[in-house]
Structure formats: C-alpha cells, structure tokens
C-alpha cells in the first residue's frame, strides 16, 4: 500500500486519464485529475463510481480500499499548476497532438517538485521529442499503457537518451506497486514494443483477408481462440520454448519455416479504401457502431476477470513455492 500522503497528478480526464486515476487511487495515492474542459470534468466522479461499483459487484476490484475510499482519493482541478504542485508523479494523458503536449509539459515542468517524475501516456511520440527543451528532462519518460490501463497490466517505460537510471527504476517500482506489468525499454524506438508487435499482426491480418485466404470472422477467431489463449499467459519466446525441447530446439525445427513464411508475406500496401469498408461491414454485424461503448464494457469486464484469474493463480504458485515446490512465476507477476 502506498503512503496515502503521496500525490499523483493526472493531466487529461479522458478514458486513459480516468483509468490511471482508478489505478493510483486503488493503491492509496491522492490523485488530482486535471482538465481544462469543464464539461469533460463534470461527469468524472460519476463515471469512476460506476466503474468501481461494477468491479466490486463482480469481485474484480483492485487493492484493499472500498469503492468509497478510492473515490475519496480523487480530486478534480481546472488549474494545471495547482494540480502538479507537490505531486511525486505527473502522468500526461492529453490528445496525441505534439503542440498540445509540449504546452502541457512546459507548464508542468515549471511547477514540478524536486525529485518528481513526469511521464507521458503517448502511444507514438518519442520521449526525446517531448522532453528535449524541459528543465527536468532527466526526470521524463514515456509510460505507455495498454488500453485501457486499469484492465490491461502492460506499461511500456521508454527513456529518452537523458532519462536518469534512477527515474527508470523508480517508475518501474511504482508500476509494480500499482499491480501493472512494466516493460522497461533500453532505448526509444518509433512505435515502442507493443504497437510494433500489434501492427505486425494487424498487417498480416490485412493481407490474409485482402488476398481471400480467410474472412474477418475466421481471422478474429485465429487470435482470440488460438494465439491469444496462449499469449495471455506466455510471451512468444516461451511459447516456442514449451512447444519443443527449449527455444533452440524450436528454432532448429521451425526456424527455416518461419523464414520461408516471412519471405512470402510481401508488402502490406495501402491500408484503407474499399477493403476497410468491407471489414467494417463484417464487424458491425456483430457490433454495430451504436453499441461500441457496450462492447467496450464487455471487453473490460472480461479483461478484469482474466487479470483476477491470473492473480489468483499467481498467489497459488507463490504458496506452492513457499512449500518447496518449483517457482514458475514470471518476473513482475
């Protein structure tokens, strides 16, 4: 449990900012949630209460605090400087517009407490671009969550060339305390790790549908009933490791096949146009556009249930490890 005198500032009260607010408040932090749009702020508490009530009802809430206690940890502000003042961690969650982010970071930088960490939730912008002109740029990093952060544990921690090692370590430790699974990158790269992997899957999915190999329903099933079932618990290297006599044995058997298949994939080509419309037409049969929010809630409850299942199984593994059995827990579980 975090020291409840510690303050965290979250800049931007959209879906990502609200999800971060739930995470920090559930761990006992005092959360100040800032937005310059009064209409955006007006329904934040009701939204958070609805989320917490749904999680409690389904037994999927995080931490030891009641829903009421978590809500009491959250305050709202329309003054960025006041929100940032005395915060130990500042999390930016505004629109993916460079000028907007730079303006936010300039004001936050001017009001940052000594030793505080400033992070961006950006999914694409390099930390070196965002922090190059900041006075506290050695205290800056990208903390890119998987959307939505409360229901998906992975967080990419991406340093700029000048980000201090201490800031990276403290950020990693903080994410673990929140119950997240930090991916500590050694250096920045466009797209980070998650999006590069996600877009590789998306691009091959596009080619398979475009070339008439499979329809949209079959493609989706290949992921959620096949790859996803394994990847929910194991990374691709360990999947290979377990599917043979270790990863070296796997690569001896399947490495040449992988190379041949990758060589046959070719260029993706433009993504959009009529095929995009055809794919949407197939998707809206099951999920109409006016039902997206309902489907998102469906997704989030299942992600929370999976997280609870994994947590319960990890606790069982920990108990068995204490009893002298083999510890099979991956790092940061």
């Amino acid at each position: 449990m975090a020291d409840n005198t510690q303050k965290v500032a979250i800049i931007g009260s959209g879906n990502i900012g609200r999800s971060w607010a739930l995470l920090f408040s559930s761990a006992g932090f005092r959360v100040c949630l800032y937005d310059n749009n009064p209409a955006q702020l007006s329904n934040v508490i009701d939204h958070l209460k609805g989320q917490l009530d749904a999680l409690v009802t389904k037994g999927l809430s995080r931490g030891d605090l009641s829903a009421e206690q978590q809500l009491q940890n959250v305050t709202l502000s329309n003054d960025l400087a006041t929100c940032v003042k005395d915060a130990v961690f500042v999390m930016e969650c505004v629109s993916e517009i460079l000028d907007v982010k730079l303006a936010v970071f300039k004001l936050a930088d001017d009001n940052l407490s000594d030793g505080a960490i400033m992070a961006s939730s950006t999914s694409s912008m390099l930390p070196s671009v965002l922090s190059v002109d900041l006075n506290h740029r050695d205290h800056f990093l990208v903390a890119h969550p998987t959307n939505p952060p409360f229901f998906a544990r992975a967080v990419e921690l991406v340093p700029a060339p000048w980000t201090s090692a201490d800031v990276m370590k403290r950020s990693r430790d903080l994410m673990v305390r929140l119950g997240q699974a930090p991916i500590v990158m050694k250096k920045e790269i466009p797209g980070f790790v998650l999006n590069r992997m996600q877009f590789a899957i998306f691009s091959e999915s596009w080619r398979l549908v475009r070339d008439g190999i499979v329809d949209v329903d079959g493609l989706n099933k290949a992921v959620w009933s096949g790859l996803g079932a394994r990847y929910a618990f194991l990374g691709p290297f360990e999947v290979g490791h377990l599917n043979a006599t270790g990863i070296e044995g796997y690569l001896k058997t399947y490495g040449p096949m992988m190379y041949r298949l990758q060589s046959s994939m070719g260029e993706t080509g433009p993504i959009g146009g009529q095929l995009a419309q055809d794919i949407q037409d197939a998707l809206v049969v099951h999920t109409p556009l006016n039902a997206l929010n309902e489907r998102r809630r469906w997704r989030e409850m299942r992600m929370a249930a999976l997280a609870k299942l994994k947590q319960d199984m990890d606790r069982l593994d920990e108990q068995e490890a204490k009893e002298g059995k083999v510890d099979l827990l991956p790092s940061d579980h």
Side-chain angles (χ1 to χ4, degrees):
M1 180 66 68
D3 179 352
N4 61 13
T5 64
Q6 288 184 310
K7 175 184 176 183
V8 169
I10 298 174
I11 303 173
S13 64
N15 289 332
I16 300 297
R18 295 179 187 194
S19 205
W20 277 120
L22 282 176
L23 276 172
F24 281 103
S25 64
S26 70
F29 287 90
R30 290 187 297 116
V31 176
C32 181
L33 187 57
Y34 162 83
D35 206 294
N36 63 359
N37 183 347
Q40 181 80 359
L41 280 178
S42 63
N43 67 347
V44 165
I45 297 299
D46 286 342
H47 177 268
L48 294 181
K49 185 178 186 304
Q51 288 273 57
L52 287 168
D53 288 345
L55 290 167
V56 169
T57 298
K58 296 179 182 294
L60 301 175
S61 56
R62 290 207 195 186
D64 300 321
L65 300 180
S66 67
E68 182 179 356
Q69 288 173 316
Q70 291 183 51
L71 283 175
Q72 289 175 349
N73 283 339
V74 180
T75 59
L76 308 179
S77 175
N78 60 6
D79 184 84
L80 191 149
T82 300
C83 189
V84 169
K85 183 181 179 183
D86 298 326
V88 298
F89 195 88
V90 178
M91 177 64 77
E92 170 270 316
C93 308
V94 302
S95 303
E96 290 284 285
I97 301 171
L98 180 59
D99 288 346
V100 172
K101 288 186 183 292
L102 293 179
V104 163
F105 288 130
K106 175 63 172 66
L107 185 53
D109 189 38
D110 290 342
N111 293 275
L112 200 67
S113 301
D114 290 341
I117 296 172
M118 185 161 41
S120 173
S121 290
T122 181
S123 60
S124 61
M125 299 182 189
L126 295 178
S128 60
V129 173
L130 294 172
S131 63
V132 62
D133 293 325
L134 299 180
N135 294 324
H136 300 91
R137 68 179 194 171
D138 59 327
H139 281 209
F140 184 93
L141 76 156
V142 162
H144 172 230
T146 310
N147 187 19
F150 188 86
F151 302 100
R153 296 178 61 207
V155 181
E156 296 177 294
L157 303 181
V158 191
W162 40 77
T163 306
S164 78
D166 175 67
V167 163
M168 294 298 293
K169 181 183 183 304
R170 286 195 286 136
S171 298
R172 177 202 171 280
D173 292 346
L174 175 60
M175 291 301 129
V176 171
R177 285 167 64 185
L178 296 183
Q180 300 301 87
I183 302 164
V184 182
M185 293 180 58
K186 297 179 179 180
K187 59 183 178 180
E188 63 181 19
I189 185 175
F192 315 141
V193 173
L194 286 171
N195 276 334
R196 293 179 78 91
M197 296 177 70
Q198 178 176 239
F199 293 163
I201 292 173
F202 190 97
S203 295
E204 182 57 19
S205 300
W206 180 269
R207 279 191 290 263
L208 290 168
V209 173
R210 179 197 66 191
D211 296 345
I213 308 301
V214 68
D215 63 13
V216 172
D217 180 64
L219 189 287
N220 283 335
K221 284 178 181 174
V223 176
W224 66 256
S225 66
L227 290 177
R230 295 186 298 197
Y231 289 170
F233 296 91
L234 303 169
F237 290 147
E238 191 171 8
V239 167
H241 192 63
L242 297 181
N243 282 353
T245 55
I247 192 66
E248 288 187 326
Y250 180 81
L251 293 176
K252 285 179 182 177
T253 303
Y254 298 106
M257 181 196 301
M258 279 192 277
Y259 180 74
R260 289 197 305 273
L261 290 178
Q262 288 172 335
S263 299
S264 73
M265 290 177 182
E267 292 293 325
T268 303
I271 294 181
Q274 183 58 48
L275 181 55
Q277 182 62 58
D278 294 343
I279 292 174
Q280 174 153 305
D281 289 344
L283 292 171
V284 297
V285 171
H286 183 261
T287 307
L289 296 182
N290 61 5
L292 290 178
N293 283 335
E294 180 180 347
R295 185 65 169 173
R296 290 183 186 116
R297 288 191 291 271
W298 178 94
R299 172 195 66 182
E300 289 164 0
M301 288 300 104
R302 278 151 184 78
M303 291 174 71
L306 177 60
K308 185 175 187 300
L309 169 66
K310 294 168 77 172
Q311 181 183 62
D312 291 343
M313 295 181 75
D314 288 347
R315 286 173 177 166
L316 179 60
D317 286 344
E318 289 170 358
Q319 182 60 40
E320 291 181 345
K322 290 178 181 177
E323 295 171 358
K325 299 179 182 179
V326 178
D327 182 3
L328 298 177
L329 276 176
S331 62
D332 290 331
H333 269 232

